[in-house]
């Protein structure tokens, strides 16, 4: 394969440019480390996708959220993120009317109605609506934890888990309640908190009809009907939730 170079090397052999263009119309990234000319690394069909990918290596995040200051490598990622703050959900399910901030979230949601799970685990055959959910699941089999906290060294199987964990060190709480101003490190914690103000109780007991604002509260309540508790005293057998 003939490859046209668009970079130069430092004296240590590290490329200063990182971009290749091949004669078959593909773009290649060698940003992580020096790789011989005949071995080409991750490839892209579009140059703008390559440029976005290179920002992963350089750490460049030029798109900044005006609400919370979070940085993003891509403008479309920032646009989707801002909707967390504004509450905008432009992608609506035609089956049930539920709204989503991103189109891929809507596509994955439609599988609830169709029952389709196109991504299957090669280890246990479990199906998933999203490819990244499958990737995360596979790590439960392999034990891989590629996302490492730079503050304490703790490793995670999922990048979003690392993002939330880092807020323990930084004190960042980007999700703010519009009713009282209380801030949270996680969006799901904010969602549960808002129900204190709205009175919404979407989790309903199938046995007695009692409703709860949080799913874990419903789970705990269900033990009162079954009589089976997850934590039992080894001395007297009394159960606890």
């Amino acid at each position: 394969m003939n490859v046209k170079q668009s970079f130069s090397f430092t004296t240590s052999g590290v490329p200063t440019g990182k971009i290749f263009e091949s004669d078959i119309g593909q773009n290649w990234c060698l940003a992580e480390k020096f790789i011989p000319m005949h071995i080409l690394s991750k490839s892209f069909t579009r140059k703008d996708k390559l440029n976005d990918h290179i920002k992963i290596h350089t750490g460049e995040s030029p798109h900044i959220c005006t609400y919370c200051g979070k940085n993003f490598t891509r403008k479309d990622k920032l646009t989707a993120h801002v909707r967390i703050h504004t509450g905008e959900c432009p992608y609506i399910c035609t089956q049930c009317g539920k709204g989503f901030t991103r189109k891929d979230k809507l596509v994955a949601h439609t599988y609830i109605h169709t029952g389709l799970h196109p991504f299957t685990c090669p280890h246990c055959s479990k199906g998933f609506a999203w490819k990244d959910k499958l990737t995360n699941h596979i790590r439960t089999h392999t034990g891989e934890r590629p996302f490492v906290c730079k503050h304490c060294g703790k490793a995670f199987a999922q990048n979003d888990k690392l993002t939330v964990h880092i807020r323990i060190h930084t004190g960042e709480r980007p999700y703010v309640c519009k009713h009282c101003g209380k801030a949270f490190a996680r969006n799901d914690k904010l969602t549960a908190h808002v129900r204190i103000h709205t009175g919404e109780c979407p989790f309903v007991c199938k046995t007695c009809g009692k409703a709860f604002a949080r799913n874990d509260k419903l789970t705990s309540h269900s033990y009162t009907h079954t009589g089976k508790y997850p934590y039992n005293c080894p001395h007297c057998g009394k159960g606890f939730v």
Side-chain angles (χ1 to χ4, degrees), residues 122-181:
H123 300 280
C124 67
S125 299
K126 186 175 181 179
F128 296 86
W130 286 22
K131 187 176 181 179
D132 61 339
K133 295 293 185 184
L134 170 61
T135 300
N136 291 335
H137 167 79
I138 287 175
R139 291 181 184 133
T140 64
H141 297 289
T142 63
E144 182 189 8
R145 292 174 176 265
F147 305 104
V148 182
C149 176
K150 63 182 179 181
H151 299 281
C152 67
K154 188 173 182 179
F156 298 85
Q158 301 174 31
N159 191 34
D160 59 341
K161 298 292 185 184
L162 170 61
T163 300
V164 172
H165 165 81
I166 286 176
R167 291 175 185 146
I168 296 172
H169 301 289
T170 64
E172 181 191 8
R173 293 174 177 268
Y175 305 105
V176 182
C177 176
K178 63 182 179 181
H179 298 280
C180 68

Side-chain angles (χ1 to χ4, degrees), residues 62-72 78 81-83 85 174:
H63 306 289
I64 304 172
C65 176
T66 56
Y67 292 92
C68 67
K70 189 173 182 179
N71 295 47
F72 298 85
L78 169 61
H81 164 81
V82 166
R83 292 177 184 140
H85 300 289

Side-chain angles (χ1 to χ4, degrees), residues 28-46:
W28 304 85
C29 175
L30 280 76
E32 290 182 283
K33 58 185 178 179
F34 171 71
I35 301 175
M37 283 286 293
H38 66 284
I39 302 175
L40 297 178
S41 188
K42 189 169 184 179
S43 61
F44 301 84
T45 56
R46 288 167 47 184

Side-chain angles (χ1 to χ4, degrees), residues 180-236:
C180 68
K182 188 173 182 179
F184 299 85
R186 289 166 45 182
N187 191 34
D188 60 331
K189 294 294 185 183
L190 170 61
T191 300
H193 165 81
V194 167
R195 292 177 185 137
I196 296 173
H197 301 289
T198 63
E200 181 190 9
C201 294
F203 304 102
V204 182
C205 176
K206 294 179 180 179
T207 305
C208 68
K210 189 173 182 179
F212 299 85
R214 289 164 42 185
N215 191 37
D216 60 333
K217 294 294 185 183
L218 170 60
T219 301
S220 297
H221 164 78
S222 67
Y223 297 130
T224 62
H225 297 295
T226 63
K228 295 179 180 179
Y229 295 90
Y231 306 105
N232 297 97
C233 175
H235 300 286
C236 67

Side-chain angles (χ1 to χ4, degrees), residues 108 111-112 114-120 126-130:
Y111 296 137
I112 296 174
T114 63
L116 181 66
H117 292 87
F119 304 103
T120 306
K126 186 175 181 179
F128 296 86
W130 286 22

Side-chain angles (χ1 to χ4, degrees), residues 2-22:
N2 295 321
V3 178
K4 292 180 286 186
Q5 302 178 39
S6 59
F7 65 91
S8 58
F9 287 96
T10 65
T11 54
S12 61
V14 179
T16 59
K18 310 179 185 74
I19 300 175
F20 281 83
E21 293 181 0
S22 76

